[in-house]
Amino acid sequence: MRLTTKYKAGLAILAGLALVAGACGGDETGGASTETARSTGTTAAETPTSPAPAPPAGATEPGSPEIDPAAGAEVDEATGGELILAVEQWPECLNPVTSCANASWTLWSVNTHVLPRLMELDLRNNYQPSPTLAEEPTTDNGGLAVAADGTFTLTYRLHPDAVWSDGTPITSNDVRYTWRARMDTDGTLDTAGYELISDVGTDDPQVAVVTFSEPYAPWRDLFDPILPAHHLGPDTNVADRWNDSIPISGGPWLQQSWSQDQHVLVPNELYWDPERRPLVDRVVMVPREDTDSEVVALQTGEVMAASPQPFPGAAERLGGDLTFVGGGGTFIEGLWINQNAPDRRFEVTRNIRQAVAYSLDRELIADVALGSIIEDPQVLQCAGWSPAVGEWCADDFAHYTQDPERVTELLSAEGWTRPDPDGLWVNPDGAELVLQWNTVAGNKRREDVQALVSEMTAPFGIGWEIINYDPGELFQNRLPVMNFGPVALYANSTSPDPTVFRLYDIGGIPTEDNGFTGQNFTAYASEEASDLAAAIDREVDAAARLALVRQLGELLATDVPWIPLYVLPNLVVWNSTLVEGAGNALFSAYGGFADMYDWRVIG
């Protein structure tokens, strides 16, 4: 039942240090689990949240009794009007299978709203069947089974009312087509999990029987999104399709138009789930790709809501009629080290990676980056898992604190010298220890982190060449073909499932030979890590799986393929005189606009 109770921001933002960094792509919950919110004119106590990633839709003010959605709440009727939203990182293209999907805002501004999926995450980031399914596959209902020969079978029963926006039913053939498109498309972004599928049975249009060659524990992350076989097929290579528009929908919204200037969505009149039918007539998204222009657009009423990355002075700048909530997060941010960077002056060995880690005060970095957004930001101490979900994230990187003696030991062991005690390290070939560092241009928080770290590592003899790019160039053009770094500051998404195979799979290192397929953007080529990551995905016993995660975490802390910094909190900002219903998707993996079908225009 859709609730009429408005989620009200009631938690105070703490003023913190001035330097903060911006969001990223790749494109997502953290140790810094304090939820904060501000509504002008409201005074409230600082209230830390529990580890649960998100408040439920329709959450009330702190201290109010919980509302039971089954108890008979009033259902909202459509109110019409137009929502105008600012998008911080504008996609360069829309294809959901290729590198176009590597930018988080391709998911958050497009795919989430127009394309169906099988399993999904609710606002608490718990897995549940999407409206496309009649039920979740389980052992009890016969939908999940492991045979004696080791094959793993999922039986997806599709919702009988699920249709595409042209009236064509969503069927098992669409599930099969999606599998083949993932495998057959030139430059496909990722095939993890799909490559283990041996067949998708389609005898019954409303039942897709997916057979894997072996158990695959993170199966809930697959088939997101589903593609329409009747529209895109029969060719399963979709590399040249849907780059500039997605003209068909299986979600609450239908894309009316998309360009580099604006994105227009209208309600999908054939969407079958009454709980997700939009309340407004039209949504217009416009690019506002730097912090200042996004804030000004909110302050002047040019846009009605935004979901910016954390930025310096958020509490002070988002006043007047603006309300915002901040906290949680599904993206982990760090220094990602591309060992195959084309512009590297030397091999970025394990000793160098460890030396950089020992030159950083990561606690200060977290405080400077996030201190004005959340209370007591916590350093991320693991390389791939969210500390707020499960037991997966341990203190693997906790020993990496500033240690000049350890830096000297590591670099000297590989022949580096420091002719000037106050200068840079120099290798036997005469190259100075200077690392090119890329991040998002105009992202104040990230650029401030770069400035802080440059000053921080100078006494350790480590220098930086900073070259930044706009989001589309970095996340959709450079990262997928490994043309960055060797160091980049960006965030990567996490899953409630502990799968990290896409990060550490040797076969997932994008190269020219494999058509730049995969998401191992650090080019971390450890057979042991790759095998452990694969074993984590095969193991269905929780205790045994945790043991494998621990083993991999210790290995990653030794090899340092990347240096974790913090969990990136989310922000959702809206003009409370114009919009009602925003803020409930703050913690959602699908972005702060995920539930905009529930938003109202009130001004």
Side-chain angles (χ1 to χ4, degrees):
M1 226 13 119
R2 183 172 290 156
L3 304 176
T4 56
T5 303
K6 177 184 175 183
Y7 174 73
K8 297 179 181 178
L11 304 175
I13 287 283
L14 293 181
L17 299 174
L19 300 179
V20 229
C24 102
D27 330 22
E28 354 211 78
T29 310
S33 61
T34 299
E35 180 190 349
T36 57
R38 173 177 175 137
S39 180
T40 302
T42 300
T43 302
E46 298 150 11
T47 306
T49 64
S50 68
T60 60
E61 292 179 335
S64 300
E66 292 188 4
I67 297 175
D68 180 4
E74 180 184 345
V75 177
D76 285 341
E77 299 297 331
T79 58
E82 179 179 81
L83 281 171
I84 304 175
L85 310 177
V87 170
E88 183 167 285
Q89 295 178 4
W90 201 255
E92 293 202 346
C93 53
L94 303 181
N95 190 305
V97 176
T98 66
S99 62
C100 298
N102 194 53
S104 55
W105 274 98
T106 305
L107 170 67
W108 293 344
S109 66
V110 182
N111 294 350
T112 288
H113 309 294
V114 301
L115 294 178
R117 48 189 173 257
L118 294 184
M119 295 295 293
E120 68 179 10
L121 296 166
D122 65 14
L123 295 184
R124 290 180 178 268
N125 287 323
N126 298 310
Y127 289 106
Q128 65 177 17
S130 79
T132 311
L133 286 180
E135 60 183 353
E136 176 180 356
T138 67
T139 53
D140 290 342
N141 64 23
L144 189 155
V146 179
D149 63 359
T151 56
F152 176 57
T153 303
L154 293 170
T155 301
Y156 291 102
R157 293 175 174 84
L158 304 177
H159 196 288
D161 296 333
V163 296
W164 297 99
S165 55
D166 63 359
T168 303
I170 297 175
T171 69
S172 55
N173 193 43
D174 296 317
V175 178
R176 180 180 180 84
Y177 180 83
T178 300
W179 162 51
R180 291 316 317 168
R182 285 281 185 175
M183 298 302 299
D184 300 342
T185 295
D186 294 335
T188 187
L189 182 62
D190 185 24
T191 61
Y194 294 98
E195 85 281 4
L196 299 177
I197 297 174
S198 56
D199 190 31
V200 177
T202 60
D203 291 345
D204 185 333
Q206 288 191 299
V207 179
V209 181
V210 183
T211 303
F212 296 75
S213 59
E214 60 188 44
Y216 185 65
W219 58 269
R220 294 172 181 84
D221 290 335
L222 299 179
F223 298 105
D224 181 4
I226 307 167
L227 304 178
H230 74 287
H231 180 83
L232 290 171
D235 188 359
T236 52
N237 182 350
V238 299
D240 297 325
R241 307 291 299 277
W242 281 8
N243 287 318
D244 299 314
S245 68
I246 299 180
I248 193 170
S249 172
W253 301 91
L254 176 66
Q255 188 177 85
Q256 189 175 79
S257 65
W258 181 86
S259 70
Q260 289 300 315
D261 298 318
Q262 69 174 12
H263 179 208
V264 180
L265 294 168
V266 296
N268 174 7
E269 299 297 340
L270 294 186
Y271 195 63
W272 59 95
D273 183 0
E275 298 297 320
R276 299 190 185 185
R277 288 176 186 155
L279 301 179
V280 301
D281 296 328
R282 186 169 123 117
V283 172
V284 179
M285 299 185 188
V286 294
R288 295 295 181 268
E289 298 189 62
D290 64 80
T291 301
D292 285 340
S293 64
E294 195 166 11
V295 172
V296 169
L298 284 162
Q299 291 171 333
T300 61
E302 179 186 353
V303 301
M304 302 157 78
S307 186
Q309 293 183 42
F311 61 88
E316 291 76 24
R317 299 189 67 185
L318 300 176
D321 294 326
L322 300 179
T323 298
F324 75 96
V325 288
T330 56
F331 281 76
I332 50 178
E333 183 141 304
L335 300 180
W336 301 80
I337 302 169
N338 176 9
Q339 296 179 44
N340 287 350
D343 294 330
R344 66 192 187 280
R345 300 177 177 91
F346 41 80
E347 295 302 312
V348 188
T349 64
R350 182 172 68 181
N351 278 30
I352 291 175
R353 301 192 300 270
Q354 287 187 358
V356 173
Y358 278 118
S359 73
L360 300 177
D361 183 342
R362 293 183 298 132
E363 184 173 342
L364 177 59
I365 294 171
D367 284 342
V368 164
L370 306 176
S372 65
I373 305 300
I374 56 176
E375 181 184 1
D376 190 24
Q378 302 298 304
V379 174
L380 180 64
Q381 302 291 14
C382 63
W385 301 278
S386 165
V389 178
E391 304 176 86
W392 319 115
C393 186
D395 290 333
D396 304 310
F397 282 75
H399 62 284
Y400 285 108
T401 58
Q402 285 190 310
D403 188 339
E405 292 183 0
R406 190 76 178 104
V407 171
T408 297
E409 178 185 349
L410 288 163
L411 295 177
S412 297
E414 294 192 339
W416 291 82
T417 59
R418 201 173 181 188
D420 178 356
D422 297 321
L424 298 169
W425 287 90
V426 179
N427 72 3
D429 296 326
E432 293 182 323
L433 183 44
V434 176
L435 298 164
Q436 186 186 116
W437 184 358
N438 310 138
T439 195
V440 178
N443 186 310
K444 177 65 171 168
R445 177 179 56 83
R446 287 196 176 127
E447 291 177 342
D448 283 347
V449 167
Q450 287 179 319
L452 173 67
V453 170
S454 296
E455 182 177 353
M456 180 182 292
T457 63
F460 291 82
I462 298 172
W464 304 91
E465 177 189 14
I466 294 175
I467 302 176
N468 295 335
Y469 302 99
D470 68 67
E473 175 66 16
L474 181 60
F475 297 129
Q476 293 181 218
N477 295 337
R478 289 184 172 271
L479 257 72
V481 297
M482 305 297 287
N483 184 17
F484 72 95
V487 176
L489 174 62
Y490 64 89
N492 218 322
S493 61
T494 60
S495 168
D497 188 278
T499 178
V500 288
F501 186 68
R502 64 184 177 84
L503 296 180
Y504 304 121
D505 170 29
I506 284 185
I509 299 174
T511 65
E512 187 172 0
D513 289 343
N514 69 13
F516 294 106
T517 294
Q519 292 182 280
N520 182 348
F521 296 134
T522 61
Y524 177 45
S526 166
E527 290 282 358
E528 184 180 1
S530 186
D531 290 347
L532 277 170
I536 289 168
D537 285 358
R538 289 193 299 269
E539 182 56 67
V540 295
D541 178 79
R545 208 171 183 212
L546 178 60
L548 291 170
V549 169
R550 289 282 186 269
Q551 188 177 345
L552 177 57
E554 292 175 2
L555 175 62
L556 297 173
T558 299
D559 287 351
V560 195
W562 64 284
I563 302 171
L565 296 179
Y566 43 76
V567 176
L568 190 66
N570 296 332
L571 287 180
V572 181
V573 188
W574 66 98
N575 188 319
S576 56
T577 68
L578 302 176
V579 177
E580 186 177 63
N584 291 328
L586 171 67
F587 295 81
S588 173
Y590 307 121
F593 301 159
D595 65 341
M596 67 186 188
Y597 47 77
D598 265 338
W599 296 15
R600 287 173 173 271
V601 173
I602 59 175

